[in-house]
Amino acid sequence: MKKVKVAVVGCGSISDIYLSNITSGKFQILEAVACSDIFEAKAKASAEKYGIKAMTLDEICADKEIEMVINLTIPAAHYAVIKQCLKAGKHVWSEKMIAVELKEGKELVKLANEKGLWLGVAPDTFLGASCQTAKYIVEHGLIGTPVSAHAAISRNYGIYGEFLTHLWKKGAGIGFDMGGYYLTALASILGPVKNLAAFTKVNNPKRVNTRVGAPDFEKKYELEVPNVITATMQYKNGVLATLHMNSDCILDETYSLIIYGTEGILYMGNPNEFGNPVYIQKTNSEKVVFPLTHGYQENSRGLGAAEMAWSIRAGRNNRASKEMAYHVFEMMHGIMQSADTGKEYKMQSTFETPEALPEGFIGDGGWTRKEESALI
Ligand SMILES: NC(=O)c1ccc[n+]([C@@H]2O[C@H](COP(=O)([O-])OP(=O)(O)OC[C@H]3O[C@@H](n4cnc5c(N)ncnc54)[C@H](O)[C@@H]3O)[C@@H](O)[C@H]2O)c1
């Protein structure tokens, strides 16, 4: 199958794992040829490290060989970068979230449709072994019919946010930065949400950067977005779920993601990772580990871009679809709106629940030709 030539835009923290996975040949369908950053030096350093070409975004857009752009810029730049690339006729895989403003996300989905281009948005962790195993468990009726669900994530953004300063700015915060993993994992199994209601708060908004070594060490800063979020959601299939997020936690990270069914309880893995253990519990029994049914157990960032490239070649919709990403994005905006207005938020968008990946990919995550063709 003809490889899809890709250019990476944004050579920051997350670009290393994308570029090392792609250039090491983990995804046979992708070929990294170029990279770009607003800081030329960063693009040049990545280009040298991975044996690719440093280019400007304009050059990438004008290059006829490059079919797909992988957008790894900060959330505030997503809209402009995606729009420019789509207008230039490139398929785009973007890191989360699709944009900052809801109307921007909507416009990008429309633009991709008008242009007949593929647009896929992270997270792609739901395509990993852990979440696909959870999906297998639900779809094979192993917990009966899902009734309710609970997602919780707490982080200490005093650790993350003082280096990655976009984390406490508009467009990110724990809601937009981490909420996407949890809501996407649930969406990929339970489908779309009908309505939701939420409360949020900004706990202790005035801060001082206490991270020795951080560029802004000892500088004062103010949180722009809520760091405590609670919400309750009603899925179209009738499942009721609660969401709890707190980025002002004393611990680096705690999480839980649980689906309660009529015949069992499913404890999902950390949706920010690919191969966490999955447990099920049946009536009157212990919680037991369920063997992972799928591959991509290791850090496989870029899997969503690869799956999108396979989809482009096969002419089908990609699983980490723009519609599901936009729905999750709308949910997070809905959560903020509900908290601001004190009213329930009724969801406008919907999406087709993505099909499970074919089973049986256990191991280092390499796809054989046969396995790849099973996807098509
Ligand atoms: N860091 C992580 O662990 C992580 C994990 C998963 C997803 N992500 C997502 O990846 C994206 C990037 O995050 P990061 O942590 O790598 O941030 P980062 O700040 O480390 O890197 C972003 C890079 O994009 C560049 N950039 C910004 N605007 C640009 C523009 N208009 N054109 C070209 N380059 C531009 C910056 O110079 C920087 O090098 C975000 O959407 C984030 O949510 C990050």
Side-chain angles (χ1 to χ4, degrees):
M1 197 184 292
K2 189 175 164 231
K3 285 179 188 278
V4 173
K5 289 195 167 134
V6 300
V8 164
V9 179
C11 301
S13 313
I14 201 67
S15 66
D16 257 322
I17 185 69
Y18 268 88
L19 281 166
S20 65
N21 279 344
I22 297 170
T23 55
S24 66
K26 186 180 187 72
F27 310 116
Q28 294 168 28
I29 191 75
L30 296 179
E31 183 185 348
V33 294
C35 64
S36 180
D37 198 285
I38 32 165
F39 295 107
E40 204 185 335
K42 283 180 116 177
K44 280 194 172 148
S46 291
E48 199 170 311
K49 185 168 174 187
Y50 295 102
I52 55 180
K53 217 169 139 187
M55 292 170 87
T56 65
L57 183 55
D58 288 344
E59 285 167 350
I60 288 169
C61 286
D63 189 314
K64 298 224 163 14
E65 292 277 293
I66 296 169
E67 279 187 73
M68 189 202 287
V69 168
I70 296 183
N71 176 20
L72 308 181
T73 61
I74 52 167
H78 286 179
Y79 168 72
V81 171
I82 298 173
K83 189 169 171 178
Q84 183 175 347
C85 295
L86 289 174
K87 281 191 154 182
K90 308 293 177 203
H91 305 295
V92 182
W93 170 263
S94 180
E95 256 305 328
K96 55 168 183 44
M97 294 243 168
I98 186 168
V100 173
E101 303 297 343
L102 197 55
K103 64 174 190 313
E104 295 171 344
K106 199 173 201 171
E107 184 191 329
L108 293 174
V109 170
K110 188 164 167 261
L111 181 60
N113 284 338
E114 282 166 7
K115 297 280 241 173
L117 291 165
W118 270 256
L119 169 61
V121 185
D124 55 2
T125 38
F126 80 92
L127 295 169
S130 187
C131 194
Q132 289 297 309
T133 300
K135 192 168 166 68
Y136 175 98
I137 288 170
V138 173
E139 289 180 357
H140 285 77
L142 301 180
I143 60 160
T145 307
V147 176
S148 66
H150 172 64
I153 163 76
S154 71
R155 277 196 157 188
N156 182 348
Y157 272 11
I159 295 175
Y160 298 97
E162 291 177 359
F163 269 110
L164 297 170
T165 54
H166 68 258
L167 286 182
W168 42 265
K169 294 191 173 135
K170 201 168 174 227
I174 189 151
F176 287 90
D177 184 57
M178 289 305 294
Y181 291 107
Y182 289 78
L183 298 179
T184 303
L186 289 178
S188 73
I189 295 173
L190 300 175
V193 162
K194 209 162 85 177
N195 45 10
L196 54 83
F199 293 99
T200 65
K201 70 172 175 177
V202 188
N203 199 47
N204 191 11
K206 291 192 194 302
R207 308 267 170 156
V208 177
N209 190 327
T210 55
R211 289 285 284 179
V212 181
D216 294 336
F217 177 56
E218 288 191 323
K219 278 199 188 144
K220 288 183 182 164
Y221 66 100
E222 190 156 348
L223 303 182
E224 289 180 13
V225 284
N227 54 4
V228 183
I229 298 168
T230 57
T232 175
M233 286 111 42
Q234 184 179 30
Y235 285 76
K236 278 194 181 156
N237 67 1
V239 169
L240 298 185
T242 54
L243 175 71
H244 169 263
M245 289 186 275
N246 177 352
S247 60
D248 202 17
C249 181
I250 54 156
L251 293 179
D252 178 4
E253 177 166 319
T254 68
Y255 77 91
S256 105
L257 187 55
I258 306 171
I259 300 178
Y260 298 85
T262 51
E263 288 167 38
I265 303 171
L266 165 62
Y267 302 86
M268 294 172 66
N270 184 339
N272 188 18
E273 293 184 15
F274 286 79
N276 261 218
V278 174
Y279 302 85
I280 60 170
Q281 191 164 20
K282 306 289 276 186
T283 316
N284 298 326
S285 80
E286 297 285 313
K287 194 171 151 183
V288 290
V289 173
F290 193 89
L292 297 178
T293 53
H294 286 69
Y296 292 108
Q297 297 172 21
E298 66 296 334
N299 189 345
S300 304
R301 302 259 173 190
L303 176 56
E307 197 274 337
M308 190 171 100
W310 284 312
S311 306
I312 293 168
R313 289 287 179 263
R316 62 166 167 77
N317 293 334
N318 58 312
R319 288 172 169 85
S321 70
K322 59 186 183 309
E323 289 79 13
M324 184 167 74
Y326 178 77
H327 187 78
V328 166
F329 183 56
E330 190 199 348
M331 281 177 77
M332 198 44 67
H333 274 281
I335 284 170
M336 300 301 165
Q337 191 173 313
S338 169
D340 288 347
T341 60
K343 289 188 180 142
E344 188 182 311
Y345 179 87
K346 291 194 192 315
M347 292 290 293
Q348 310 278 308
S349 65
T350 192
F351 65 94
E352 293 284 325
T353 312
E355 267 183 45
L357 282 173
E359 294 158 37
F361 306 124
I362 310 256
D364 68 0
W367 294 66
T368 64
R369 289 270 165 224
K370 190 165 149 275
E371 285 160 346
E372 246 181 57
S373 61
L375 266 179
I376 294 165

